[in-house]
Amino acid sequence: MDDLREKYLTLIKDVADEAALEDLRVQAVGKKGEISLKMRELGKMTPEERQVAGPALNALKNEINSALAARKAAMADAALEERLATEWLDVTLPSRGRPAGSIHPISQVTEEITAIFADMGFSVAEGPRVETDWYVFDALNIPGHHPARAEMDTFYMKTKDEAGNPHVLRTHTSPVQIRSMEKMGAPLRVICPGGVYRADYDQTHTPMFHQVEGLAIDTDISMANLKWVLEEFCRAFFEVEGGVELRFRASHFPFTEPSAEVDIRCSWEGGTLKIGEGDDWLEILGSGMVHPKVLQAGGIDPAVYQGFAFGMGIDRIAMLKYGIPDLRAFFDSDLRWLRHYGFASLDQPNLHGGLSR
Ligand code: DAH
């Protein structure tokens, strides 16, 4: 027994890794291990011999088991020590920071527009981008044969609302006129900014773009109010001292009567555009006095109330104000472009105190 003790304690001490240690365990105290076999021999002994050998063998087995466990724990400790020594982290280093985003020019311009109209008493209303053809067309007096309703211009959905009106991606923000009338009644002064969708794609058209709708309804609204509001807006938005001259051109929209398209005075010199001077005119929006049928569709009595409305392309006027030549760039998500035209620099330190990028 002393030989066995000596043999296994030495082997356990010198063992190389956990797998070898497990082999040793099987070899010593496993079912067919050397010590287990010895214990079986107890049966062939006389009771006197057994009284001596039994406890001694048991003690030996316990001793070997403890040695195995101790060696296993020591190996695990050593492995941990090694990891702690090689894998370490300097928590005193300054943080690397996260890149800070910037305000997209469209969002920035939408905020500028909203602020200017807020000063004139207009609140902001929003409507769904997935609309029904009732709000986008019928309620706005757009007849069934109107080209805007054609499959090739408009993104129709396969679904319908409860009343059976097909869903469509709104082609303009004008449906928010109807939704605002329904929700707020008259008198009313709102602007409605948001995304709209049409099947178009070239340098000045993208399938998704942004418009802002304006709507003012009261008992004594006239074209004069429309003209003043738009002039006031252009003076503030384009930051031209003394204001920007506007030209109202007779036009037609199903939802206004009379209707006008509005141009701003500008000049093109050497490929650069200057707003407010020169002999050229640039169209920026459509407008008019709200058609009585549209007021009716919104639940407002046209015998008592009138209103003016306008619709302007946000992307279009952002291009004009910031000299952006290609509309498609707004939606390319090119970081270099966004850093150039984005507001609030991407190089600003972020809130965590580190440097961005
Ligand atoms: N909805 C028109 C469009 O998308 C723009 C427009 C024209 C809006 C005249 C109006 C308006 O409110 O009165 O082309």
Side-chain angles (χ1 to χ4, degrees):
M1 264 195 247
D2 283 342
D3 289 349
L4 273 180
R5 173 185 293 108
E6 185 64 28
K7 172 181 164 188
Y8 281 111
L9 291 183
T10 308
L11 282 171
I12 289 169
K13 181 159 70 67
D14 295 339
V15 81
D17 53 35
E18 260 187 79
L21 189 68
E22 175 60 12
D23 288 346
L24 260 182
R25 190 189 65 78
V26 173
Q27 190 188 326
V29 296
K31 256 193 191 148
K32 290 179 183 160
E34 213 168 347
I35 292 166
S36 312
L37 293 177
K38 275 269 178 291
M39 290 180 111
R40 274 188 223 167
E41 287 172 15
L42 289 172
K44 295 180 209 149
M45 295 179 186
T46 65
E48 294 76 22
E49 285 171 328
R50 202 181 301 137
Q51 263 189 356
V52 180
L57 263 175
N58 255 329
L60 174 62
K61 186 178 175 186
N62 288 340
E63 192 178 349
I64 300 291
N65 271 330
S66 316
L68 285 163
R71 185 77 179 101
K72 191 168 177 173
M75 278 176 161
D77 278 355
L80 183 62
E81 283 303 324
E82 190 178 319
R83 274 190 60 192
L84 288 175
T86 52
E87 294 172 19
W88 57 278
L89 210 80
D90 186 349
V91 293
T92 67
L93 280 174
S95 90
R96 216 172 276 145
R98 271 182 266 170
S102 62
I103 311 274
H104 193 281
I106 297 293
S107 302
Q108 170 70 23
V109 167
T110 304
E111 276 173 31
E112 289 172 21
I113 294 170
T114 307
I116 295 168
F117 280 106
D119 281 348
M120 294 188 273
F122 287 76
S123 58
V124 175
E126 282 179 310
R129 294 188 183 207
V130 179
E131 261 293 6
T132 62
D133 71 346
W134 160 257
Y135 282 103
V136 174
F137 302 123
D138 299 283
L140 291 164
N141 193 33
I142 298 175
H145 55 78
H146 195 281
R149 302 186 74 135
E151 296 269 342
M152 53 174 286
D153 293 325
T154 300
F155 297 107
Y156 286 90
M157 318 287 287
K158 292 212 176 83
T159 54
K160 293 180 171 33
D161 72 358
E162 308 85 62
N165 297 305
H167 284 130
V168 356
L169 296 183
R170 66 181 182 193
T171 57
H172 53 178
T173 44
S174 304
V176 192
Q177 287 191 29
I178 305 294
R179 289 187 176 274
S180 301
M181 289 184 225
E182 286 176 344
K183 212 181 287 172
M184 299 182 244
L188 175 67
R189 235 184 277 184
V190 287
I191 58 161
C192 327
V196 300
Y197 302 83
R198 286 181 206 174
D200 259 341
Y201 189 68
D202 62 35
Q203 193 173 346
T204 51
H205 297 91
T206 51
M208 189 276 309
F209 60 104
H210 301 86
Q211 288 187 333
V212 58
E213 196 77 13
L215 176 66
I217 295 175
D218 213 324
T219 50
D220 54 359
I221 297 273
S222 74
M223 285 289 272
N225 301 126
L226 169 67
K227 189 160 184 269
W228 182 84
V229 163
L230 292 178
E231 281 172 354
E232 195 59 18
F233 167 74
C234 288
R235 190 187 53 71
F237 181 78
F238 292 109
E239 296 167 336
V240 177
E241 247 185 79
V244 185
E245 200 182 334
L246 297 184
R247 181 171 76 175
F248 283 68
R249 238 179 329 102
S251 181
H252 170 76
F253 299 104
F255 32 89
T256 44
E257 184 58 40
S259 305
E261 281 175 311
V262 176
D263 308 330
I264 45 174
R265 188 180 280 286
C266 68
S267 75
W268 288 100
E269 260 169 44
T272 53
L273 176 73
K274 287 222 177 90
I275 305 287
E277 57 183 64
D279 296 323
D280 280 331
W281 296 95
L282 207 102
E283 184 196 322
I284 55 163
L285 58 87
S287 65
M289 296 301 290
V290 181
H291 196 289
K293 282 189 181 167
V294 173
L295 291 171
Q296 245 156 8
I300 288 176
D301 183 355
V304 181
Y305 291 100
Q306 321 86 55
F308 71 69
F310 60 86
M312 185 160 55
I314 295 181
D315 323 68
R316 165 78 70 96
I317 64 164
M319 288 171 83
L320 294 179
K321 181 166 179 179
Y322 295 103
I324 294 166
D326 191 330
L327 179 68
R328 292 170 293 194
F330 279 122
F331 313 113
D332 281 345
S333 301
D334 182 331
L335 278 181
R336 292 161 302 177
W337 187 91
L338 288 170
R339 284 190 186 114
H340 182 74
Y341 287 108
F343 294 79
S345 165
L346 288 166
D347 294 316
Q348 277 180 352
N350 66 21
L351 293 176
H352 306 280
L355 289 174
S356 61
R357 284 199 290 141

